Each structure stands twice: as structure tokens, then as C-alpha cells.
Amino acid sequence: EPFDTGLKTVPESLHAVAGHWILDAVLVPPGEAAASESRSQLVLMESMMHQFSGLGLGSIVVPAHSMGQDELQQWRENWNFDPKVQIDATNASGLRKAGSLTAAPLMLISPSGQVAASWQYPVSPADVWLQIQSHLGTPSGAQQMPACQIPVAQ
């Protein structure tokens, strides 16, 4: 079920991503209580990014708290981040405030900077896929799902 964060547009500091669809999440790094949920969230984000990258979807991860460059690099290596996933540790205070550290939302951000959809943990991969598909279209190699119709009795 999409979750309303109350955030309707991304903070001005993230307008560098303007013009692109972005899947964004505030994630907790290793060694903290919610790290396993955050790791699962990263896997989901990477999967969606791979499926929809041909339609212009990118991903940004925001650490749940300030981290130094060495810590960020170690996190990237430990979790084997896809090189295309951006980590925004410097311009992220507004997105950090959008979700609590125990239930950070996943957000789909439009090219104009509007929050098109957001989800609360636990996130349904099918719901995320369908929301992204409704905004970006069906990815190459995937079948468009027809609307269900009830057969007419003869």
C-alpha cells in the first residue's frame, strides 16, 4: 500500500536529479538495528532500477545519518552496491526528515521533483513495480498485463 509521507516535492538540494525518474530510500547502514530491512530495500531498488533503467529510472540511497567518506565507501563495498546507485550523503537532510529511522519510506520521484509514490516498510515489490510501470511504462522484455475481464456467460 503506498504510504503518504506528507512530502510532496523533494528538497531543493536534490534538484540535481531533476529530469529523471528516481527511486529513493533512506537506508540504515550495517551494524544498526534496521540494517537487514535496509539491505532488502537496496536489493529491491537495484532490481527495479535494472528493469526500468531503459525507461530512465535511477536510484539514490540516502544514509539514515551522517557518514564520512570512508564509512560510505566501506558500506558500498560491504553491500556490493550497484555502481549506478548513487549515495547522496551531503544533500540529504530533507529526505532524512521525510521518514523516521525505523520506517524510512521508499519514494518514487518524478522528473519535476514531485513525489509520485511512496511506501512504508515492509514494501511490496509487486506494488512498487506496478507503480513504476504506471508512470514509466512497461520495461523492455516484460509483458503488458491486460485488464482482467469477466467472461460473458453464453
Side-chain angles (χ1 to χ4, degrees), residues 43-128:
V43 172
L44 172 65
M45 290 175 71
E46 289 178 341
S47 173
M48 295 299 155
M49 186 183 68
H50 287 287
Q51 293 176 67
F52 288 94
S53 64
L55 298 171
L57 183 68
S59 293
I60 296 177
V61 166
V62 176
H65 56 75
S66 296
M67 297 174 72
Q69 283 300 104
D70 291 343
E71 292 174 298
L72 290 169
Q73 187 58 36
Q74 188 174 17
W75 185 22
R76 183 177 278 285
E77 291 170 7
N78 287 347
W79 280 11
N80 195 26
F81 274 71
D82 184 292
K84 293 178 184 168
V85 174
Q86 298 177 47
I87 297 178
D88 187 336
T90 55
N91 298 318
S93 61
L95 287 173
R96 249 186 234 125
K97 291 174 193 164
S100 73
L101 299 185
T102 57
L106 174 68
M107 293 180 279
L108 178 63
I109 301 169
S110 76
S112 65
Q114 301 296 308
V115 177
S118 59
W119 301 267
Q120 183 91 24
Y121 289 139
V123 176
S124 160
D127 186 50
V128 174

